[in-house]
Amino acid sequence: MGLVVQKYGGSSVADAEGIKRVAKRVVEAKKNGNQVVVVVSAMGDTTDELIDLAQEVSPIPSGREFDMLLTAGERISMALLAMAIKNLGHEAQSFTGSQAGVITDSVHNKARIIDVTPGRIKTSVDEGNIAIVAGFQGVSQDKKDITTLGRGGSDTTAVALAAALDADVCEIYTDVDGVFTSDPRVVKKARKIDWISFEDMLELASSGSKVLLHRCVEYARRYNIPIHVRSSFSGLQGTWVSNEPQGDQPMEQAIISGVAHDTSEAKVTVVGVPDKPGEAARIFRAIADSDVNIDMVVQNVSAASTGLTDISFTLPKTEGRKAVAALEKTRAAVGFDSLRYDDQIAKISLVGAGMKTNPGVTATFFEALSNAGVNIELISTSEIRISVVTRADDVNEAVRAVHTAFGLDTDSDEAVVYGGTGR
Amino acid sequence: MGLVVQKYGGSSVADAEGIKRVAKRVVEAKKNGNQVVVVVSAMGDTTDELIDLAQEVSPIPSGREFDMLLTAGERISMALLAMAIKNLGHEAQSFTGSQAGVITDSVHNKARIIDVTPGRIKTSVDEGNIAIVAGFQGVSQDKKDITTLGRGGSDTTAVALAAALDADVCEIYTDVDGVFTSDPRVVKKARKIDWISFEDMLELASSGSKVLLHRCVEYARRYNIPIHVRSSFSGLQGTWVSNEPQGDQPMEQAIISGVAHDTSEAKVTVVGVPDKPGEAARIFRAIADSDVNIDMVVQNVSAASTGLTDISFTLPKTEGRKAVAALEKTRAAVGFDSLRYDDQIAKISLVGAGMKTNPGVTATFFEALSNAGVNIELISTSEIRISVVTRADDVNEAVRAVHTAFGLDTDSDEAVVYGGTGR
């Protein structure tokens, strides 16, 4: 008998019908001889509705109270799910984040999990119950206040509970069939990935893939908890994310796991920065002090004639205004010429651990973009990822071209020949 | 500086506007130099919507999960109210029933408060915050499960907190101006009562007055917490409920506090009961065993010729079916003739401690009914109350006639002359 942690997102429990469907699936896992712990998000648009209400009474809702408010959403869905399960003749008990022992720091609205002490959950499942736990929420260690975990919080709750309970698997149920080689809305021939390593999944997540958030994958990797991402609307196998392939999955990893894209970023270019030590540090200290997270950073070699260089970086569009304001303040100190802000960009990333040992991946990538008539504005690479910035208008065509070039399209068994050597 | 506990019902916090209005009023109390603890109900129809959802997923929702579900409602309103108060520049912290130390027994959906340990609330107000507490909910002493207090639970939370915090007053804000001498929807000339004793209020509450529930008044009486019932829509003084009149209120109590009516009951008559010891006990044991609460009980003297008597009692209409079924089972054992069930009745009650020392109240009451052409079917009295059962169709006319007869109409300064002696 195993212990399974299942997580259902808001779209899976959007209404009474959805909750009943989820209840059936949970009971199925229990009938298969497992101990089952279920983590749920708030129903459908509940969280958004609560946020709207908050903004009606207060333009800047306070952290502590805002968290108290939002956690009502999961309280509703978890209680309803427990009722629906009982209605199918099985025992279920629901627990708030606090009752489930999800201990966090005190940073409201984006708390981090410090510890999970799942004593009540353990007792509940040992007594034969299905335990339902509110995702996205915890209780602060010092003040005993209710906290929320921020974006992707419910997935993180599920993985953290799976780790604390030493679960066999953490199943993340969602409204898609799994992780795809690219966004199926853009690439019709995108293929569901059967298995992907934690490392590749981490790169995909930070490159724009929305199915799993970086934070949750990182947690799973640290505690080595296999994640199974699958649809709550079908019984199909989804995507396994783990250190090693599971069961009958092919042992050999694909060279390229997928092509991700991200249109949520903007590009800032600091033009005419004196090319001497400390200037870049000064720029990025100003950015960091204004609490802006940046993504890619690119510096070109300076023109010998002027001794000036340009530094470009990307960041979430939502933080663009803050970053530009912070930089303007440092203009005199740094002595740069001008700032350029561009939010009409897209980032396209090719991810795959196989690229380390397969020469020519970069060349094939760039050739595919070139053949599609897509211009590359910035390039940045990690060991298992290559990212480029292009015009936002080009993104769909670019992603499709790259997806095809690497033989990722479904029903395509053609071998891919990489031109050139090395990356 | 005093400590004030304020309670706002669902209609007062029905939407963002209502919450902002309540926030202003709370801040006003704070500005007047008080420490303020606020108890809130769920917004408007939230609780009903949650009940509907529960019934969609499970025809018989379980106690524990049902309580978990319903408590989401107060969690939303209390967090929003705290935000709205902060938005006015004052510090506020919200607390769940559990955080506020409301300890109950484990009877889900209608838990009783065992103890209140308001340590966190005390600390919060001592630090200068306005403390907002979720009404209607607590945590069970043995299992640490979330419980709800059932009907009138938020009022009871407020009074219980006021007692535990040794508050100066418990203000119950509602959508009417206070307690009236009769239901203003029926009696246009009904008068707001400035002060009423706990005892009279208890009788009014158990006779159909809806403003305060018996349970909350009983709690306040036991701990001698003055209640001030008032409107959240106006700044007017409402009704004080306490042992003694407050401030400049007249020391002498009115002879009659009010005329209450109740159309939620039905009448059961057990016809032809052998008039010998033990028969009545057998009948009411059967009723009690089926968990039905009864109200009035009347037995007439038996007809000498037959040795048979009739026993009538009233009970909530909602329990009528259960009671009749229980009685049918005892028919053979008791040997009664037949059962009559009548749900077209009304109960009209005259309440006032003054009737103990003022002769003729009963006569005036019955004369008023007679003059209005209203027939009396049952009569039952306590020390400070007289109740009659009439046809449901007659209730409005009957209440108005009695209200006028006792000089309770507004702008009526006529002395009331009671005919006859004694009751």
Side-chain angles (χ1 to χ4, degrees):
Chain A
M1 189 164 99
L3 195 159
V4 176
V5 175
Q6 299 188 328
K7 180 262 171 177
Y8 294 90
S11 57
S12 301
V13 293
D15 52 22
E17 282 318 301
I19 288 170
K20 288 196 251 186
R21 192 180 56 240
V22 166
K24 274 190 203 143
R25 190 174 274 271
V26 169
V27 164
E28 219 169 276
K30 173 80 178 163
K31 279 186 181 162
N32 288 340
N34 298 294
Q35 291 192 322
V36 185
V37 176
V38 182
V39 174
V40 279
S41 301
M43 294 170 73
D45 302 325
T46 308
T47 303
D48 289 337
E49 286 165 19
L50 292 175
I51 292 172
D52 288 348
L53 265 175
Q55 273 159 354
E56 278 184 68
V57 301
S58 170
I60 312 154
S62 118
R64 180 184 186 279
E65 303 307 326
F66 198 53
D67 280 355
M68 180 66 89
L69 177 73
L70 293 188
T71 55
E74 286 79 26
R75 188 171 266 235
I76 293 170
S77 54
M78 77 188 198
L80 289 172
L81 180 56
M83 290 178 198
I85 290 171
K86 280 164 171 273
N87 198 41
L88 296 175
H90 289 257
E91 287 306 315
Q93 289 186 316
S94 69
F95 298 92
T96 64
S98 168
Q99 291 176 334
V102 179
I103 317 290
T104 73
D105 60 22
S106 293
V107 183
H108 283 292
N109 309 160
K110 48 180 180 181
R112 296 198 70 83
I113 296 175
I114 295 174
D115 195 11
V116 180
T117 53
R120 288 186 71 172
I121 304 299
K122 191 97 191 61
T123 305
S124 182
V125 295
D126 284 348
E127 285 172 352
N129 298 299
I130 293 165
I132 320 287
V133 179
F136 180 65
Q137 58 180 254
V139 62
S140 69
Q141 192 166 39
D142 50 353
K143 294 187 186 161
K144 310 293 174 219
D145 282 334
I146 303 302
T147 53
T148 63
L149 307 178
R151 275 194 68 206
S154 291
D155 287 2
T156 308
T157 302
V159 170
L161 266 175
L165 291 164
D166 198 20
D168 297 285
V169 60
C170 178
E171 296 183 335
I172 307 270
Y173 285 89
T174 176
D175 51 2
V176 294
D177 284 337
V179 181
F180 280 74
T181 50
S182 202
D183 184 341
R185 285 168 301 186
V186 171
V187 182
K188 291 234 158 29
K189 291 186 167 177
R191 193 161 55 191
K192 192 192 74 191
I193 299 171
D194 292 330
W195 171 75
I196 186 171
S197 68
F198 285 127
E199 286 69 25
D200 279 17
M201 192 64 235
L202 282 171
E203 289 286 1
L204 280 182
S206 51
S207 301
S209 170
K210 303 277 194 305
V211 186
L212 288 178
L213 286 187
H214 190 279
R215 174 184 186 188
C216 143
V217 181
E218 180 59 40
Y219 207 112
R221 189 181 64 81
R222 197 178 329 136
Y223 293 97
N224 195 18
I225 300 294
I227 297 179
H228 187 187
V229 185
R230 56 196 307 196
S231 168
S232 68
F233 297 86
S234 80
L236 298 175
Q237 284 282 308
T239 300
W240 284 84
V241 187
S242 61
N243 264 334
E244 302 291 336
Q246 310 282 314
D248 58 353
Q249 290 163 0
M251 285 301 293
E252 201 174 9
Q253 194 172 355
I255 296 170
I256 299 300
S257 287
V259 185
H261 67 277
D262 188 351
T263 53
S264 71
E265 296 195 339
K267 181 179 70 171
V268 174
T269 304
V270 190
V271 181
V273 180
D275 193 5
K276 56 185 185 195
E279 295 305 310
R282 224 187 278 226
I283 286 170
F284 290 105
R285 170 53 55 202
I287 298 291
D289 286 349
S290 61
D291 213 24
V292 169
N293 285 314
I294 57 174
D295 179 25
M296 293 166 72
V297 179
V298 178
Q299 179 179 339
N300 303 333
V301 293
S302 63
S305 58
T306 61
L308 297 177
T309 186
D310 299 339
I311 296 178
S312 294
F313 61 91
T314 63
L315 78 178
K317 281 178 191 170
T318 49
E319 315 224 307
R321 189 182 302 208
K322 245 195 317 186
V324 169
L327 286 173
E328 282 294 0
K329 281 192 202 148
T330 66
R331 184 199 283 250
V334 177
F336 60 81
D337 284 348
S338 61
L339 280 181
R340 280 191 217 136
Y341 181 75
D342 179 357
D343 61 4
Q344 294 301 309
I345 62 157
K347 182 176 74 168
I348 297 162
S349 303
L350 190 67
V351 171
M355 68 173 67
K356 284 187 287 195
T357 51
N358 280 270
V361 168
T362 308
T364 305
F365 185 26
F366 293 175
E367 278 161 17
L369 292 171
S370 164
N371 291 339
V374 174
N375 191 42
I376 300 173
E377 302 187 4
L378 294 180
I379 303 172
S380 159
T381 62
S382 81
E383 211 182 8
I384 60 173
R385 177 184 50 79
I386 313 172
S387 298
V388 300
V389 165
T390 69
R391 289 288 86 202
D393 289 344
D394 290 336
V395 65
N396 290 355
E397 202 172 349
V399 170
R400 280 192 284 262
V402 174
H403 197 266
T404 303
F406 283 94
L408 297 171
D409 293 355
T410 22
D411 304 320
S412 155
D413 290 332
E414 293 166 28
V416 183
V417 181
Y418 301 115
T421 53
R423 291 204 346 216
Chain B
M1 190 164 100
L3 195 159
V4 176
V5 175
Q6 300 188 328
K7 180 261 171 178
Y8 294 90
S11 58
S12 301
V13 293
D15 53 21
E17 282 318 302
I19 288 170
K20 288 196 251 184
R21 192 180 57 239
V22 166
K24 275 189 203 144
R25 189 175 276 271
V26 170
V27 164
E28 219 169 275
K30 173 80 178 162
K31 278 186 182 162
N32 288 341
N34 297 294
Q35 291 192 323
V36 185
V37 176
V38 182
V39 174
V40 278
S41 300
M43 294 169 73
D45 302 326
T46 309
T47 303
D48 289 338
E49 285 165 20
L50 292 174
I51 291 173
D52 287 348
L53 264 175
Q55 271 159 356
E56 276 184 70
V57 302
S58 171
I60 313 154
S62 116
R64 179 184 188 279
E65 303 307 327
F66 198 55
D67 279 355
M68 181 67 89
L69 177 73
L70 293 189
T71 55
E74 285 80 26
R75 189 171 266 233
I76 293 170
S77 54
M78 76 188 198
L80 290 172
L81 180 56
M83 290 177 197
I85 291 171
K86 280 165 172 274
N87 198 42
L88 296 176
H90 288 257
E91 286 307 315
Q93 288 187 317
S94 69
F95 298 92
T96 64
S98 167
Q99 291 176 335
V102 179
I103 317 291
T104 72
D105 61 22
S106 293
V107 183
H108 283 291
N109 310 160
K110 47 179 181 182
R112 297 199 69 84
I113 296 176
I114 295 175
D115 194 11
V116 180
T117 53
R120 287 186 73 174
I121 305 299
K122 192 97 192 59
T123 305
S124 182
V125 295
D126 284 348
E127 286 171 352
N129 298 300
I130 293 164
I132 320 287
V133 179
F136 180 65
Q137 57 181 256
V139 62
S140 68
Q141 191 167 40
D142 50 352
K143 294 187 185 161
K144 309 292 171 221
D145 281 335
I146 303 301
T147 53
T148 63
L149 306 179
R151 276 194 69 207
S154 290
D155 287 2
T156 307
T157 302
V159 170
L161 267 174
L165 291 164
D166 198 19
D168 297 285
V169 59
C170 178
E171 297 184 334
I172 307 272
Y173 285 89
T174 176
D175 51 2
V176 294
D177 285 336
V179 181
F180 280 73
T181 49
S182 202
D183 184 341
R185 285 167 303 186
V186 172
V187 181
K188 292 232 157 33
K189 291 186 169 179
R191 193 160 55 190
K192 193 192 74 191
I193 300 171
D194 292 331
W195 171 74
I196 185 170
S197 68
F198 284 128
E199 286 68 26
D200 278 16
M201 192 64 234
L202 283 170
E203 289 286 0
L204 280 181
S206 52
S207 302
S209 169
K210 302 278 195 304
V211 185
L212 288 179
L213 286 187
H214 190 278
R215 174 183 186 188
C216 144
V217 181
E218 179 58 40
Y219 207 111
R221 189 181 63 82
R222 197 178 328 137
Y223 293 96
N224 193 18
I225 300 295
I227 297 178
H228 187 187
V229 185
R230 56 197 305 195
S231 167
S232 69
F233 297 87
S234 81
L236 299 175
Q237 283 281 310
T239 301
W240 284 84
V241 187
S242 61
N243 265 334
E244 301 293 335
Q246 310 281 313
D248 57 355
Q249 289 163 359
M251 284 301 293
E252 200 173 10
Q253 194 170 354
I255 295 170
I256 298 300
S257 287
V259 185
H261 68 275
D262 188 350
T263 53
S264 71
E265 296 195 339
K267 181 180 70 172
V268 174
T269 305
V270 190
V271 180
V273 180
D275 191 6
K276 57 185 184 190
E279 294 305 311
R282 227 188 275 225
I283 286 170
F284 290 105
R285 170 52 54 201
I287 299 292
D289 286 349
S290 62
D291 214 23
V292 170
N293 285 313
I294 58 173
D295 180 24
M296 293 167 70
V297 179
V298 176
Q299 180 180 337
N300 303 333
V301 293
S302 62
S305 58
T306 60
L308 297 176
T309 186
D310 300 339
I311 296 179
S312 294
F313 61 91
T314 64
L315 78 180
K317 281 179 192 171
T318 49
E319 314 223 309
R321 190 182 300 208
K322 246 194 318 185
V324 168
L327 285 173
E328 282 294 358
K329 281 192 202 147
T330 66
R331 184 199 283 248
V334 176
F336 61 78
D337 283 348
S338 62
L339 279 180
R340 281 190 217 138
Y341 181 75
D342 179 357
D343 60 4
Q344 294 302 309
I345 61 158
K347 183 176 73 169
I348 297 162
S349 303
L350 190 66
V351 171
M355 69 173 67
K356 283 188 286 192
T357 50
N358 281 271
V361 168
T362 308
T364 305
F365 185 25
F366 291 176
E367 279 161 17
L369 292 171
S370 165
N371 291 340
V374 174
N375 191 40
I376 300 174
E377 302 186 4
L378 294 180
I379 303 171
S380 159
T381 62
S382 82
E383 210 180 8
I384 60 172
R385 176 183 52 78
I386 313 171
S387 298
V388 299
V389 166
T390 68
R391 290 289 84 202
D393 288 345
D394 291 335
V395 65
N396 290 356
E397 202 173 347
V399 169
R400 279 191 287 261
V402 173
H403 196 267
T404 303
F406 282 92
L408 295 171
D409 293 356
T410 23
D411 304 319
S412 155
D413 289 332
E414 293 166 29
V416 183
V417 181
Y418 300 116
T421 54
R423 293 208 341 221

